[in-house]
Amino acid sequence: MLIDPVNDENPICSAKGCRTAAVWVLAWNNPKLHTPERRKTWLACDEHREHLSQFLGVRGFLKELVTLAEWHDRPGSDG
């Protein structure tokens, strides 16, 4: 059975082709395109967390890495 596209109830990893449940949130921004306070997010499973972190990190884009649960527990979160 295939998982439907990403939704709030079943967030999946952002790695290409991965359909595993997300565990991590990688908050990032591209300083050439985004204001400093803007945060875009990628989701990651345990297997792809390091790869996605390195991809964003070498470009200087990665701003924060937290668990999905921590991200949803923050004040102002929609989760």
Side-chain angles (χ1 to χ4, degrees), residues 13 15-24 43-53:
C13 181
K16 186 175 181 178
C18 186
R19 294 288 176 241
T20 304
V23 179
W24 299 95
L43 302 177
C45 63
D46 282 329
E47 180 181 347
H48 292 111
R49 178 190 58 83
E50 185 65 28
H51 172 74
L52 294 173
S53 295

Side-chain angles (χ1 to χ4, degrees), residues 20-76:
T20 304
V23 179
W24 299 95
V25 175
L26 293 83
W28 64 277
N29 81 4
N30 179 340
K32 292 182 180 179
L33 302 175
H34 308 122
T35 58
E37 65 279 352
R38 172 109 187 255
R39 292 294 180 266
K40 300 200 45 100
T41 56
W42 281 356
L43 302 177
C45 63
D46 282 329
E47 180 181 347
H48 292 111
R49 178 190 58 83
E50 185 65 28
H51 172 74
L52 294 173
S53 295
Q54 286 180 356
F55 180 90
L56 293 169
V58 298
R59 291 160 178 79
F61 294 175
L62 185 61
K63 303 301 178 193
E64 187 174 14
L65 173 67
V66 297
T67 66
L68 188 59
E70 288 175 284
W71 187 261
H72 283 299
D73 286 345
R74 292 180 174 194

